[in-house]
Amino acid sequence: MSVPADEPGNVAHTIFERFLHAGECQEVLGCFGELCQQLGLQGSGLQLYHSLKAALNYWSAKALWSKLDKKAGHKVYDQGKACASTKCLVVGAGPCGLRAAIELALLGARVVLLEKRDSFSRNNVLHLWPFTIHDLRALGAKKFYGRFCTGTLDHISIRQLQLILLKVALLLGVEVHISVKFEGLVPPTHKAGGWQAVVQPSSSPLTHYQFDVLISAGGGKFVPEGFKRKETRGKLAIGITTNFINRHSQAEVEVAEISGVARIYNQKFFQNLYNKTGIDLENIVYYKDDTHYFVMTAKKQSLLKKGVILQDKADIESLLSPENVNRDALLSYAKEAANFSTNYHLPELEFALNHRDLPDVDMFDFTCMTRSENAALVRDYNGARLLLGLVGDCLVEPFWPLGTGVARGFLAAFDAAWMVRRWAAGTPPLEVLAERESIYQHLSQTSPDNTNKNISQYSIDPATRYPNINLQAIKPSQVRDLYLVGIVEVDHKRKSDNRLITAASGDVYEELLSWCQASTAGYRGVAVTNFTTSWTSGLALCALIHRFRPDLVDFDSVGTQDAVQIHQMMLDMAEQELGIQPVLSSIEMATMTEPDHLGLITYLSQFYEAFKTSPEVEEVSKKPLSPHGTRGAILFLSKLQKSRNLTRKRAHDSAQKDAEAKRSHRDTELPRERAGENSDACYFCGSHVYILERASAEGHFFHRGCFQCRRCGATLRLGDYAFNEEDGNFYCSLHYPNLPGMDLSQHEAPALPDLGDADAATDPPLDAGRPCVSPKEGAPGPLQPTPAAPHQGEEPGAVEDAVDAGDVEEQELLAQPGGDAREEEGPGAELQGVAEEGEESGGRRKIILTPLEKLSLSTLNLTSEAEPDPPPKPARLWLQAVPEALPAPGQGQDCWKEEEEELDMQKTLEESDSEEEEKKKKEEEGTDLGIMAELCLNLGKEDMYSTSEHTLSRRAREAHMKRFCKAQAIQRRLEEIEVTFRELEQEGIKLEKLLRDENGSPADQQTQWTNQLLYLVQKKNSLMTEESDLMIAVQELKLEEQQWQLDKKLRSYMNREETLKTPEDCRAEQETLAQLLKVVNERNLLIHIQEEKRLSELRA
């Protein structure tokens, strides 16, 4: 029965509806105050919530009360009594501050929240993990915002998220004060008093509010007194965000989002963008929400060339200062990038306005990322204790390309609420702090993959979210420094000291010499007494290799050659079979002088790092030892590079039709060039190369910073370059000269995956052009092995034969992680050997598929003819959406279990969504049809899909997003490693100059400097290993992306009627199939090598 219009209750209902749909911060607060006044309600906390629920018996409100009651009924809140006597102050009304305030209110605490702004104006869009979507639905998000995560959407604007959380917080009795700025703490003036805040304006009633818990969510630039920050620095990174007005038209709805595309694995798109517009990006993301939101990382040189940045400056703050930025050029830059990335399908792009009524475009620096060293502390003054906790950006500043900010922010808010619960329960302060720091250790590593899959069971209890977490990992005795007594003196300019520490522990020089002596003892003609004359003959190095890898060299047969030949053979063998890069040339090794002994020490330290944890040399195992731990990744990349070089040479020789002449030329020239190379002079710039900055490839020595593509200037790394022996230049794999199909069109359309279309298999095929790196600041060059395209008139079978021939050689090279010689075996024998090894070791067995089986797996049909409604639980066919042919390395036997858990998580989300929609139908009949029509429009084709197809589409998006996030994490870490390398090099150059100083220094001082230099060498070796591991991960990402693209392209051909296919279509289909099988084989081998490396590390 409807309420008559003249009844007072009808006015409250109208106000409540206005409150639900209010779109501004002040409007929300005004409506809520008006509602409480209309109903005659006062007070705060859960008491206000219960009074409001009793007074507002309205059908639209009942569904919301049901959700909030279910949330508040969780046992962890103890019926709202867990923190009944606790008074909290929350600083900052961002998403994390509001989320923490809601949890504290549910615990029964009195919660006061202050915010210095008076509006929510951030249009930028946040990526949501599955648990955040479920969490917000449980708080009634769809009641406040009908479009919340409809269909496959997994994002929301910051502004809308703040509005949702603000409304929930108000309903639960949180006191919210806007336009109030927190400026510090006031200790209690007497024993009976409590902690207070210094706020502006001073007339605010909050100046008298006393509290015993402070939760800071004030952003990265505000951290309360007593907390220390630490910083990680990468290479210069400039981000650009922009928002365009979303009119929700049909044309706008049909434009696919870009959940993330990164240069590191899809360089073709970025090269096309650069060729056509001159815009040079590292990545780009596009989301549709209240606005069309784009965020991208731009390169400095591109911004300078396009006139966005007026003058190049070394200081980042000055570089991006308003007076050094051409605002109009920035708007044009952002608009051009947005248009190109959406293929110019977004009509009439018009900038949305920010809170200053200016176009919503911002450029920011995220070169340095900061985080707090601890998550909480306690202050004690006159016996009055104050618990302080951090959440949001002031705890960990998020790296935006990962899309982890709000998810980890919510997790930190839950952790902070759990800490307050423990505090209120009377747990000793040091135990509370120790437990909080134990949980904080896990925050930066959390992802949807390593948190509990049963998201419906999440609560503030960390055990429900983090599997196998140890809450006692940090002991109370370790956090005594976080309990501060009295007044805290704080230097606000102080940052944690992150300088390189070069103090070496122990006598590394003597330890290395003793190890070399023990390892070469008993060999004919070898007597190691120093690091100069003992090594000139080459026999000592030969003995060292033979001791640990007797299968590589026959020591008894060595000795007939001269010293230079012996050294060259050993250097090549160590590089190709052990992954140990040379530091000196063979001539320098054979004519060892005193100045060269530092290079020899550096080189031998790599052997020490590789084999030092082996059994005692007196009890060497009969089975050859593989370099474990430090060199395994480098060895793999060396073999990978060698196989790629062979592939390129074969294609090059085939194109030139004079393979034999070129082979003979290489055979005669290469050894002489390698032997005569001077390790002290950079191959590229000719300047002196000090030991710590020395790198080598193809027998040449150079500065790490000089290792760039000759044509485009892209940074090159081991396993990711091409070398042309004719001109002696290095290239990225795209710009290796004289290979067919290398040049990209200046006007080629962008190549981006369309993850929003479940019928992707029917789309026209993507162009199979190769990716590229653009000038000077490019990410690591690609390693994209694709068979040469057939010449006109050539049979498709010839292409397959060439691919198969290349696979044989490549598999033989890559399938030798320990250097086992298998040159005589074909790929089938190699794969069979792998299977047998797996059975013998009791490890994971690899599935061996024939080409026909691989084709069948790759071409499984995505959709069924008649899907039951509702469908049964989806079977294990999720690989069909994004065909990941094999589980990623490290997943082991748990991969199927994880898949089951993922399906359960997906089911939870879908059931929650279905429940929401059902309630919405019952509750909102006759409401605004315009909103519902827009919802249907936004769904596009998806409303016709079955639930299983929705699931496949969502998983495709999730897989793509996961790949993008992983690529960005890798790129960031590579840049951080590069910065650390530079710091190491500077320290090493100083030490090397001191050691080479002819003025002479005391012997003990020389020994100390040598030990410090060796310490730096060890640090460099460790970083090289990590860099190599990351580069292997890059290869994985590239192969995943290639397989996804090729599979989609192959489906488009196979779904066509045979009678409609042209001969060109048939030939292209065969080429695509050959490429797909090649990629599957490469992924197969990569996983096998990774598993071998993992097992060797376990044995070590």
Side-chain angles (χ1 to χ4, degrees):
M1 179 182 294
S2 62
V3 181
D6 57 347
E7 286 194 12
N10 194 47
V11 177
H13 297 170
T14 302
I15 297 172
F16 183 74
E17 285 297 326
R18 282 170 42 213
F19 169 76
L20 287 182
H21 299 104
E24 299 292 339
C25 174
Q26 294 188 53
E27 183 185 1
V28 172
L29 293 171
C31 288
F32 187 75
E34 189 179 346
L35 179 64
C36 291
Q37 185 178 1
Q38 177 68 31
L39 296 174
L41 302 178
Q42 293 181 343
S44 61
L46 290 180
Q47 181 181 357
L48 176 64
Y49 167 69
H50 292 304
S51 301
L52 185 63
K53 185 174 64 169
L56 198 62
N57 188 20
Y58 174 44
W59 68 267
S60 184
K62 285 182 180 179
L64 187 57
W65 305 147
S66 174
K67 279 191 170 295
L68 295 179
D69 283 345
K70 183 178 180 180
K71 181 74 175 177
H74 196 284
K75 62 181 181 180
V76 76
Y77 303 117
D78 194 18
Q79 297 180 342
K81 300 175 183 177
C83 299
S85 59
T86 304
K87 295 180 180 179
C88 303
L89 177 66
V90 179
V91 179
C96 299
L98 287 164
R99 192 64 191 85
I102 289 170
E103 289 300 324
L104 295 173
L106 289 168
L107 286 166
R110 181 186 176 188
V111 185
V112 174
L113 183 145
L114 60 85
E115 168 58 49
K116 66 180 180 181
R117 298 181 180 87
D118 61 0
S119 64
F120 297 155
S121 57
R122 289 185 287 176
N123 291 315
N124 295 352
V125 178
L126 300 171
H127 172 68
L128 300 178
W129 291 4
F131 95 83
T132 51
I133 296 174
H134 185 272
D135 176 67
L136 290 167
R137 282 177 176 160
L139 294 175
K142 290 185 77 72
K143 290 294 296 181
F144 304 111
Y145 183 53
R147 285 197 297 268
F148 176 74
C149 289
T150 308
T152 60
L153 298 182
D154 57 359
H155 48 74
I156 189 172
S157 70
I158 298 176
R159 178 177 162 277
Q160 282 294 349
L161 181 56
Q162 285 178 284
L163 289 171
I164 291 170
L165 294 174
L166 174 63
K167 293 170 186 178
V168 175
L170 291 170
L171 292 174
L172 293 175
V174 175
E175 303 173 44
V176 179
H177 298 258
I178 60 173
S179 302
V180 178
K181 184 179 180 181
F182 178 86
E183 293 193 336
L185 291 167
V186 179
T189 54
H190 51 85
K191 290 188 176 180
W195 289 82
Q196 294 175 293
V198 179
V199 299
Q200 288 295 336
S202 57
S203 58
S204 170
L206 290 183
T207 55
H208 306 294
Y209 177 58
Q210 295 185 356
F211 48 89
D212 45 27
V213 173
L214 172 68
I215 302 297
S216 174
K221 294 182 179 178
F222 172 75
V223 180
E225 297 174 349
F227 288 92
K228 299 176 184 177
R229 308 282 285 173
K230 58 184 177 182
E231 178 183 278
T232 58
R233 179 177 290 273
K235 293 168 70 176
L236 178 64
I238 301 173
I240 297 176
T241 60
T242 182
N243 286 276
F244 299 97
I245 295 173
N246 187 354
R247 299 177 179 84
H248 304 287
S249 66
Q250 179 68 41
E252 290 171 297
V253 169
E254 290 176 351
V255 177
E257 293 183 332
I258 305 171
S259 57
V261 58
R263 177 188 294 276
I264 203 169
Y265 63 81
N266 189 353
Q267 294 166 342
K268 176 173 184 269
F269 166 76
F270 295 99
Q271 182 63 28
N272 292 338
L273 172 64
Y274 180 77
N275 288 343
K276 185 166 185 179
T277 67
I279 293 173
D280 206 3
L281 303 179
E282 285 286 355
N283 52 46
I284 188 167
V285 174
Y286 161 51
Y287 285 143
K288 267 182 294 191
D289 208 85
D290 289 343
T291 61
H292 295 289
Y293 170 68
F294 293 83
V295 58
M296 62 201 81
T297 303
K299 295 189 178 182
K300 183 179 73 171
Q301 292 301 325
S302 170
L303 294 169
L304 285 166
K305 184 183 274 188
K306 298 285 283 185
V308 177
I309 297 177
L310 301 178
Q311 291 183 340
D312 191 3
K313 298 183 179 181
D315 178 57
I316 301 175
E317 192 171 335
S318 301
L319 182 74
L320 301 183
S321 62
E323 55 270 16
N324 196 41
V325 174
N326 183 332
R327 186 76 181 171
D328 291 336
L330 175 60
L331 299 182
S332 175
Y333 190 98
K335 192 169 186 177
E336 207 168 0
N339 269 321
F340 183 89
S341 62
T342 56
N343 215 12
Y344 300 90
H345 287 164
L346 280 177
E348 300 176 19
L349 279 181
E350 181 181 344
F351 289 103
L353 300 181
N354 59 21
H355 60 287
R356 294 187 297 269
D357 288 329
L358 296 173
D360 195 357
V361 180
D362 190 27
M363 187 161 62
F364 58 96
D365 162 52
F366 60 99
T367 302
C368 300
M369 311 299 296
T370 60
R371 56 176 289 142
S372 177
E373 292 185 358
N374 51 286
L377 56 84
V378 172
R379 293 189 60 180
D380 188 332
Y381 190 85
N382 285 339
R385 292 172 175 169
L386 175 68
L387 175 65
L388 296 95
L390 304 181
V391 298
D393 289 5
C394 63
L395 179 63
V396 178
E397 193 174 2
F399 181 48
W400 72 261
L402 300 185
T404 57
V406 70
R408 289 178 181 167
F410 275 26
L411 290 173
F414 298 160
D415 297 335
W418 177 258
M419 174 183 69
V420 175
R421 187 184 189 278
R422 297 273 287 155
W423 174 267
T427 307
L430 289 180
E431 290 187 20
V432 172
L433 291 173
E435 184 177 276
R436 178 69 188 96
E437 298 308 312
S438 298
I439 300 169
Y440 179 44
Q441 285 185 326
H442 292 264
L443 185 63
S444 293
Q445 283 74 46
T446 54
S447 70
D449 294 329
N450 58 24
T451 48
N452 283 331
K453 299 299 186 293
N454 191 358
I455 57 178
S456 63
Q457 298 301 312
Y458 277 23
S459 73
I460 62 173
D461 184 352
T464 64
R465 293 174 279 121
Y466 309 115
N468 307 317
I469 189 170
N470 179 10
L471 298 179
Q472 284 80 43
I474 294 178
K475 306 301 180 186
S477 60
Q478 296 175 266
V479 294
R480 293 186 186 278
D481 60 324
L482 300 182
Y483 191 95
L484 309 179
V485 180
I487 299 296
V488 178
E489 296 292 336
V490 179
D491 179 5
H492 292 281
K493 295 182 180 180
R494 179 185 180 276
K495 294 180 181 178
S496 60
D497 189 4
N498 197 32
R499 290 176 301 172
L500 182 66
I501 299 173
T502 60
S505 59
D507 194 338
V508 184
Y509 178 92
E510 289 297 331
E511 185 179 344
L512 178 62
L513 182 60
S514 298
W515 181 81
C516 290
Q517 289 171 336
S519 300
T520 58
Y523 282 87
R524 169 184 51 83
V526 177
V528 175
T529 59
N530 54 40
F531 287 114
T532 51
T533 56
S534 299
W535 300 85
T536 54
S537 69
L539 293 177
L541 183 58
C542 183
L544 188 63
I545 294 175
H546 182 269
R547 174 55 63 104
F548 297 103
R549 290 297 305 275
D551 58 310
L552 294 181
V553 58
D554 182 3
F555 182 82
D556 294 330
S557 66
V558 175
T560 57
Q561 303 122 318
D562 63 28
V564 174
Q565 289 179 320
I566 295 175
H567 276 295
Q568 189 61 55
M569 183 172 66
M570 294 301 105
L571 289 173
D572 291 344
M573 191 172 296
E575 181 177 11
Q576 296 169 10
E577 302 297 338
L578 302 177
I580 295 176
Q581 303 297 305
V583 179
L584 299 170
S585 68
S586 56
I587 290 180
E588 290 169 325
M589 295 276 285
T591 58
M592 185 66 62
T593 58
E594 188 63 31
D596 290 330
H597 84 285
L598 294 176
L600 179 63
I601 291 172
T602 302
Y603 183 59
L604 294 176
S605 69
Q606 298 183 72
F607 287 89
Y608 179 67
E609 289 295 317
F611 295 113
K612 66 179 179 180
T613 54
S614 304
E616 292 297 327
V617 292
E618 291 81 9
E619 302 175 6
V620 175
S621 170
K622 293 181 180 180
K623 183 177 180 180
L625 296 170
S626 299
H628 42 260
T630 59
R631 315 314 301 176
I634 299 176
L635 170 62
F636 170 69
L637 285 180
S638 296
K639 291 181 174 291
L640 188 64
Q641 186 64 57
K642 185 177 178 182
S643 70
R644 297 296 189 258
N645 288 347
L646 286 173
T647 302
R648 293 189 186 97
K649 288 173 186 175
R650 187 183 304 111
H652 182 271
D653 291 343
S654 175
Q656 297 296 325
K657 304 295 184 182
D658 58 354
E660 290 301 324
K662 293 184 181 300
R663 288 195 191 96
S664 63
H665 174 73
R666 289 194 298 268
D667 292 342
T668 56
E669 295 295 328
L670 185 59
R672 183 166 65 250
E673 289 176 0
R674 290 172 66 90
E677 186 75 30
N678 183 0
S679 65
D680 286 341
C682 177
Y683 179 71
F684 297 103
C685 70
S687 301
H688 185 80
V689 186
Y690 291 92
I691 289 173
L692 258 294
E693 57 182 359
R694 190 174 300 172
S696 67
E698 306 297 328
H700 301 296
F701 300 90
F702 41 78
H703 301 97
R704 280 179 55 88
C706 291
F707 194 31
Q708 297 178 343
C709 174
R710 172 75 173 179
R711 181 168 166 186
C712 70
T715 301
L716 302 177
R717 289 185 173 91
L718 180 63
D720 213 3
Y721 68 84
F723 179 64
N724 185 2
E725 293 176 2
E726 288 189 2
D727 60 17
N729 291 322
F730 290 85
Y731 300 89
C732 64
S733 56
L734 176 67
H735 289 132
Y736 185 70
N738 301 325
L739 285 183
M742 278 301 188
D743 293 325
L744 290 172
S745 168
Q746 293 286 324
H747 305 288
E748 197 169 353
L752 290 179
D754 182 8
L755 296 173
D757 187 359
D759 295 328
T762 63
D763 293 346
L766 291 173
D767 180 67
R770 301 187 183 192
C772 179
V773 182
S774 50
K776 295 299 177 188
E777 292 184 283
L783 189 54
Q784 304 268 44
T786 54
H791 300 294
Q792 193 163 358
E794 187 176 344
E795 291 298 321
V799 176
E800 292 184 55
D801 294 340
V803 171
D804 292 340
D807 285 345
V808 172
E809 198 157 1
E810 187 169 321
Q811 288 173 357
E812 289 171 350
L813 283 165
L814 293 180
Q816 302 174 41
D820 300 332
R822 294 181 182 173
E823 283 82 355
E824 301 303 320
E825 300 179 12
E830 184 273 326
L831 292 173
Q832 183 62 35
V834 172
E836 291 171 1
E837 281 183 20
E839 292 174 14
E840 290 174 6
S841 62
R844 183 175 60 183
R845 293 184 59 187
K846 188 167 69 172
I847 301 172
I848 310 300
L849 299 176
T850 66
L852 184 58
E853 290 170 330
K854 290 174 184 175
L855 174 60
S856 300
L857 176 64
S858 176
T859 55
L860 285 171
N861 190 17
L862 277 169
T863 59
S864 64
E865 295 293 331
E867 190 78 6
D869 189 23
K873 182 177 179 180
R876 293 171 179 164
L877 295 176
W878 66 286
L879 291 178
Q880 299 167 8
V882 179
E884 309 287 353
L886 292 166
Q891 288 181 338
Q893 295 94 341
D894 295 331
C895 58
W896 298 123
K897 180 182 176 183
E898 290 175 5
E899 183 185 323
E900 293 283 355
E901 291 172 339
E902 184 180 347
L903 289 170
D904 291 340
M905 179 171 65
Q906 188 65 43
K907 183 179 178 183
T908 301
L909 279 174
E910 288 166 359
E911 288 176 351
S912 175
D913 207 5
S914 300
E915 182 182 334
E916 292 278 358
E917 295 301 327
E918 189 64 30
K919 287 185 178 179
K920 197 171 186 68
K921 286 179 183 177
K922 292 180 180 178
E923 297 165 2
E924 299 185 4
E925 286 186 25
T927 57
D928 187 2
L929 294 176
I931 294 177
M932 298 305 295
E934 188 174 340
L935 284 175
C936 294
L937 190 61
N938 282 333
L939 284 172
K941 296 183 195 175
E942 292 174 2
D943 55 356
M944 297 183 291
Y945 297 164
S946 66
T947 305
S948 62
E949 288 169 326
H950 270 303
T951 302
L952 292 174
S953 178
R954 183 176 300 197
R955 284 188 183 138
R957 290 168 54 86
E958 289 173 354
H960 189 79
M961 185 66 186
K962 191 180 296 184
R963 188 155 59 247
F964 174 72
C965 291
K966 186 176 180 181
Q968 294 312 296
I970 290 171
Q971 184 67 35
R972 175 70 185 185
R973 183 56 190 150
L974 286 172
E975 291 171 356
E976 291 172 358
I977 287 174
E978 198 63 40
V979 171
T980 308
F981 264 130
R982 284 201 288 267
E983 294 175 357
L984 283 170
E985 288 168 2
Q986 293 304 313
E987 295 285 337
I989 290 171
K990 293 177 185 177
L991 288 171
E992 189 174 346
K993 286 180 177 179
L994 290 172
L995 288 166
R996 293 182 184 272
D997 188 0
E998 296 181 358
N999 294 331
S1001 299
D1004 57 343
Q1005 183 67 68
Q1006 292 271 350
T1007 301
Q1008 182 182 351
W1009 287 337
T1010 302
N1011 285 334
Q1012 289 181 346
L1013 183 64
L1014 283 173
Y1015 172 78
L1016 295 180
V1017 169
Q1018 291 174 352
K1019 295 276 287 182
K1020 176 187 175 182
N1021 291 342
S1022 177
L1023 286 173
M1024 286 180 63
T1025 298
E1026 184 181 359
E1027 183 183 55
S1028 299
D1029 282 326
L1030 292 172
M1031 291 307 297
I1032 291 175
V1034 169
Q1035 307 308 319
E1036 292 182 74
L1037 290 177
K1038 288 180 178 178
L1039 290 173
E1040 287 177 19
E1041 181 71 12
Q1042 285 180 49
Q1043 184 172 339
W1044 191 89
Q1045 296 280 4
L1046 290 170
D1047 182 82
K1048 180 179 177 181
K1049 185 177 179 181
L1050 184 62
R1051 289 176 192 277
S1052 69
Y1053 284 121
M1054 300 189 77
N1055 284 349
R1056 297 179 188 177
E1057 292 289 338
E1058 288 293 331
T1059 55
L1060 300 178
K1061 292 182 182 178
T1062 65
E1064 290 76 13
D1065 289 338
C1066 294
R1067 183 162 56 249
E1069 182 178 346
Q1070 290 300 315
E1071 290 176 35
T1072 304
L1073 175 59
Q1075 293 177 30
L1076 181 59
L1077 292 178
K1078 186 175 189 295
V1079 169
V1080 170
N1081 285 332
E1082 287 182 344
R1083 292 192 68 194
N1084 223 359
L1085 287 167
L1086 192 64
I1087 291 168
H1088 169 58
I1089 297 295
Q1090 287 280 66
E1091 182 67 9
E1092 284 292 311
K1093 177 176 174 290
R1094 185 185 69 82
L1095 292 175
S1096 68
E1097 289 171 353
L1098 288 176
R1099 288 194 294 267

